[in-house]
Amino acid sequence: MAPSSSKANKKGAADAAAWMFNVVTSVGIIIVNKALMATYGFSYATTLTGMHFATTTLMTGVLRWLGYIQASHLPYPELLKFVLFANFSIVGMNVSLMWNSVGFYQIAKLTMIPVSCLLEVLFDKIRYSRDTKLSIGVVLLGVGVCTVTDVSVNAKGFIAAFIAVWSTSLQQYYVHYLQRKYSLSSFNLLGHTAPAQAATLLLLGPFLDYWLTNKRIDTYEYSAVSVVFIVISCTIAVGTNLSQFICIGRFTAVSFQVLGHMKTILVLIMGFFFFGKDGLNLHVVLGMIIAVVGMVWYGNASSKPGGKERWSLSLPTSRPQKQSNLSESDEHDGKV
């Protein structure tokens, strides 16, 4: 009984550390990028993302050279599909934000949770309990109250949002799918996907950024401070990319989306501290409280027997790969 309890406690601590790692790096990169773009005028979001993946590629390459990451296999067609989903997600989100009102952009982001649920039901045969479904609804309601203000939509904006939502949901589902099917650690998967994403985004990013902002990156006037912010952004991005893969690998895309909205609330709170309390009003505070209650309810409901379970045989696993020395313990413990 004691060893079992000790193992559960260790796993709980590792899960909490993974979430904290993701929250800290995600909120940190939002603040740094906001300063970089708003204060120093570096508005080349797609190219900056390419720099993030180039830095991540460098990190995984160094770790592999040092022997901390073992060789692994990911079929080229699987890699191609993942990069396609991931890049459409990045570009789709940027275009959706440009073509839609902030309110509709936030609504579109909220729909990723039901879309991710649908993917799990269709492909993983996951069954959700009534309490789990209701808790997800409460989270959506709370975040919606916090963030959705003006809502206007047009045809091209709707198409961009549709592509962004589905590509992001598929990319996050695929992270969990590939780690399970090919027994890949988060480091292994990043080692396969980051170079391809870096190459494509650095190649296409300047053209997409020019189309979105009408500004050319080769005309940007770099300063010592802006370069420092770019370096900080790329450094934090390594942690953001890794922590996303760790969290989705340990849990699922749905749990990552639901509990990940805590980052939205933290960004709002930090915005009030750093930029004044103009946006702090009763309905925003009420929305935060509702969302947090929903997250706690979801965590409790989904962890209960029958709260979220697979009702058919799990997907077949390809030949097992040698685990990385830095791989997460119990990452593939079958939790859904």
Side-chain angles (χ1 to χ4, degrees):
M1 192 71 176
S4 176
S5 175
S6 176
K7 183 178 179 180
N9 290 337
K10 287 181 180 179
K11 187 180 185 308
D15 290 346
W19 279 117
M20 185 60 64
F21 184 27
N22 181 255
V23 168
V24 170
T25 55
S26 297
V27 174
I29 202 169
I30 288 172
I31 294 172
V32 171
N33 286 352
K34 184 172 183 180
L36 180 60
M37 294 181 183
T39 307
Y40 299 101
F42 192 85
S43 55
Y44 313 99
T46 310
T47 306
L48 181 62
T49 306
M51 296 178 185
H52 291 168
F53 281 108
T55 310
T56 304
T57 300
L58 179 62
M59 182 271 293
T60 56
V62 170
L63 291 176
R64 184 178 288 110
W65 178 67
L66 293 173
Y68 290 110
I69 300 179
Q70 303 299 326
S72 59
H73 171 71
L74 181 64
Y76 181 74
E78 300 277 37
L79 175 62
L80 187 62
K81 282 189 285 187
F82 179 90
V83 172
L84 190 67
F85 294 148
N87 287 356
F88 264 104
S89 168
I90 293 165
V91 175
M93 281 296 181
N94 290 339
V95 174
S96 177
L97 183 59
M98 183 182 71
W99 285 350
N100 291 309
S101 65
V102 175
F104 185 76
Y105 173 79
Q106 292 293 347
I107 289 175
K109 286 181 66 176
L110 290 177
T111 62
M112 289 178 194
I113 294 179
V115 170
S116 295
C117 288
L118 178 62
L119 292 175
E120 288 190 358
V121 169
L122 291 177
F123 298 123
D124 288 346
K125 308 302 180 186
I126 296 296
R127 180 181 295 167
Y128 296 91
S129 68
R130 185 189 66 173
D131 280 1
T132 303
K133 294 174 185 174
L134 289 174
S135 66
I136 291 173
V138 171
V139 173
L140 293 173
L141 174 64
V143 178
V145 170
C146 285
T147 59
V148 176
T149 51
D150 62 309
V151 178
S152 61
V153 63
N154 55 72
K156 66 179 184 179
F158 178 83
I159 293 172
F162 182 85
I163 293 173
V165 167
W166 277 92
S167 58
T168 302
S169 300
L170 284 165
Q171 182 259 343
Q172 292 183 355
Y173 172 81
Y174 228 54
V175 169
H176 191 69
Y177 169 84
L178 292 176
Q179 289 192 46
R180 284 187 297 137
K181 183 173 182 180
Y182 297 100
S183 299
L184 297 171
S185 73
S186 300
F187 285 95
N188 289 134
L189 186 56
L190 264 180
H192 288 291
T193 61
Q197 285 191 261
T200 52
L201 290 173
L202 288 176
L203 181 64
L204 300 175
F207 300 101
L208 289 169
D209 288 332
Y210 179 71
W211 176 53
L212 291 171
T213 65
N214 204 31
K215 295 178 182 178
R216 289 168 43 188
I217 193 170
D218 60 308
T219 62
Y220 178 75
E221 295 184 6
Y222 293 90
S223 65
V225 179
S226 66
V227 170
V228 168
F229 269 90
I230 291 171
V231 172
I232 294 173
S233 177
C234 290
T235 304
I236 298 175
V238 174
T240 306
N241 292 331
L242 178 61
S243 63
Q244 182 193 50
F245 280 28
I246 291 174
C247 288
I248 297 177
R250 296 186 71 88
F251 308 100
T252 62
V254 173
S255 295
F256 181 75
Q257 283 285 344
V258 172
L259 300 180
H261 277 298
M262 179 59 72
K263 293 177 285 189
T264 303
I265 296 188
L266 288 175
V267 169
L268 287 172
I269 293 173
M270 293 183 74
F272 299 145
F273 281 112
F274 285 108
F275 306 110
K277 298 185 178 180
D278 294 338
L280 184 60
N281 52 54
L282 181 61
H283 88 270
V284 172
V285 174
L286 178 62
M288 290 180 181
I289 295 172
I290 293 172
V292 171
V293 168
M295 291 173 199
V296 174
W297 187 11
Y298 173 83
N300 183 55
S302 62
S303 63
K304 288 181 177 178
K308 183 181 179 184
E309 60 185 5
R310 185 177 291 110
W311 54 270
S312 70
L313 294 175
S314 59
L315 60 83
T317 302
S318 181
R319 73 175 187 269
Q321 298 295 332
K322 198 173 182 181
Q323 289 297 311
S324 163
N325 293 336
L326 295 178
S327 65
E328 305 75 37
S329 62
D330 297 325
E331 183 170 294
H332 310 289
D333 60 359
K335 180 173 180 179
V336 296

